[in-house]
Amino acid sequence: MASNNHVVIIGGGVIGCSIAYHLAGAGVRVTLLERGKLGSGASDVAAGMVASLSEGFTEGEPLKLALESHVLMQEMLPQLQKESGIDVEYLCPGILHLALTKEDEKNLEARLRWQEPLNMGVRWLSAQEMYRMEPALGEGVLGSLFSPQEGHLNSRRLVRAYAQGAARRGATLLQDTEVKGLLYQQRRVSGVRLTSGDLEADWVVMASGAWTGMYRDWLGVDLPVQPVKGQILAARILPSPISTIIWHGITYLVPKADGSIVMGTTREDVGFNARTTIQGIARILSNAIDLVPAVAGAELHRVWGGLRPSSPDDVPILGPVDGCEGILLATGHYRSGILLSAATGKRITDYIVRGEETSLLPFSLSRFTS
Ligand code: FAD
Ligand code: GLY
């Protein structure tokens, strides 16, 4: 890329902010445009788990991306926190996946078989070992799969850290600035349309989360990204009855650095509606109380809902779009955008700066069209 090229990023969630941070670190002129406030999409809602083995990637390039991002995140955080002055509250207590039934046991044993060779210390805990580790678990749990290298952070703080780090590296980040369309010269993108006028760009990165599918007319191609609502809540009980992340089915309890416990979640296909519901929150609470009965006495602090950007195969869509030169997609991170933000920022930057495309090919939009 030419040294004075200008990259415009659409979307100020964790993905857009990480890309801005990485690009600015490579000396690229970057402007990030967010129509609301930074993090106001799915990113501020997330439980913040950095869980490369537990989010559903089981093989191939998606698993490689998840593992790479996990390592990059751990390597990058000290520098990011120093540059930004923001502590992202990273903790690595591990995850306990509980077996409540024989069926759960079978599924977790199958998971152990492919995770053991990865040398990340994943192991089976008998009921006795598990209750010794987490005495507050409900009765009758048969055992659990323990994954010691998975952890969590404060996703709201992570977004601000990327943003602040990007700004310190020279990026411009504009909030309350909605992109209304793309501008082209012949078949190459030349800028974005804003209510205040046009902004020139040599590259446009679409990191617009669950809304990306709405912009198919800008590109003239289908962008198969759909919102999947997730509800989540935070409560406090001191001292916290748990120290590791507890997970069963779609229910998890994450003991946060500030003493709160974040509990999730739901997966709802209800369009662009992120409202919390009595039914959604009641289900999370009921499941969470079954797993850790002591949380019934916790003080409820906050409930949220957010829209995960999902793709048809639950794998991100990264990289160029055939026929639309200069446009890159960075979306579809579904349940794992916090985890995948580090590798996404790095791989998109490597593509723009050095033309390194092989690492994006497995995530190309063309896997749905060809
Ligand atoms: P978003 O954060 O949604 O950001 C997209 C941004 O684009 C928005 O701010 C939006 O306003 C902006 N935008 C859209 N259109 C325009 C436009 N035209 N102009 C300007 N701006 C625009 N992931 C994990 O890794 N670990 C977890 O523990 C975890 N827990 C989760 C729990 C819940 C309940 C939910 C809902 C999600 C969770 N996730 C988790 C997933 C994670 O939150 C998402 O994958 C991630 O936030 C997606 O980031 P994003 O930047 O792509 O999207
Ligand atoms: N990754 C947790 C969630 O999406 O709820």
Side-chain angles (χ1 to χ4, degrees), residues 88-218:
V88 304
E89 300 175 346
Y90 179 66
L91 292 176
C92 188
I95 300 181
L96 274 179
H97 291 277
L98 307 190
L100 304 187
T101 63
K102 287 280 167 203
E103 179 77 16
D104 289 343
E105 231 174 22
K106 252 184 25 209
N107 291 337
L108 291 175
E109 277 163 16
R111 216 192 260 199
L112 179 62
R113 278 197 291 280
W114 70 260
Q115 293 188 349
E116 226 171 6
L118 297 172
N119 292 323
M120 291 176 71
V122 178
R123 61 185 192 274
W124 182 257
L125 298 186
S126 67
Q128 206 185 18
E129 292 170 307
M130 179 196 67
Y131 282 115
R132 208 176 305 129
M133 186 183 274
E134 286 293 1
L137 290 175
E139 282 175 20
V141 185
L142 303 177
S144 65
L145 190 72
F146 180 48
S147 178
Q149 294 191 23
E150 297 184 283
H152 60 84
L153 46 71
N154 180 324
S155 33
R156 191 167 194 284
R157 282 174 170 259
L158 180 68
V159 173
R160 272 72 192 165
Y162 279 135
Q164 187 66 24
R168 296 234 160 112
R169 289 174 167 192
T172 303
L173 291 89
L174 301 175
Q175 303 185 74
D176 303 312
T177 306
E178 182 167 9
V179 175
K180 297 286 196 183
L182 300 176
L183 306 166
Y184 293 90
Q185 269 176 10
Q186 279 112 39
R187 281 154 65 95
R188 188 172 175 99
V189 75
S190 59
V192 295
R193 195 154 50 74
L194 309 174
T195 26
S196 55
D198 296 344
L199 179 66
E200 58 74 31
D202 300 286
W203 295 88
V204 173
V205 181
M206 295 181 66
S208 35
W211 295 271
T212 308
M214 298 172 81
Y215 307 136
R216 51 179 64 88
D217 292 348
W218 297 358

Side-chain angles (χ1 to χ4, degrees), residues 47 49 55 247 252 265 308 334-336:
M49 288 180 285
E55 293 285 15
W247 194 323
Y252 48 73
T265 186
R308 303 177 184 91
Y334 189 38
R335 292 160 50 182
S336 314

Side-chain angles (χ1 to χ4, degrees), residues 10-16 33-51 55 177-180 207-211 215 218 228-232 252 265-266 304-309 330-340:
I10 306 175
V14 73
I15 298 300
L33 306 171
E34 164 55 48
R35 68 173 167 202
K37 301 295 176 201
L38 296 175
S40 60
S43 298
D44 277 4
V45 176
M49 288 180 285
V50 180
E55 293 285 15
T177 306
E178 182 167 9
V179 175
K180 297 286 196 183
S208 35
W211 295 271
Y215 307 136
W218 297 358
V228 175
K229 177 160 85 172
Q231 301 189 44
I232 193 163
Y252 48 73
T265 186
T266 61
W304 313 257
L307 301 175
R308 303 177 184 91
T331 184
H333 292 78
Y334 189 38
R335 292 160 50 182
S336 314
I338 303 300
L339 163 72
L340 298 178

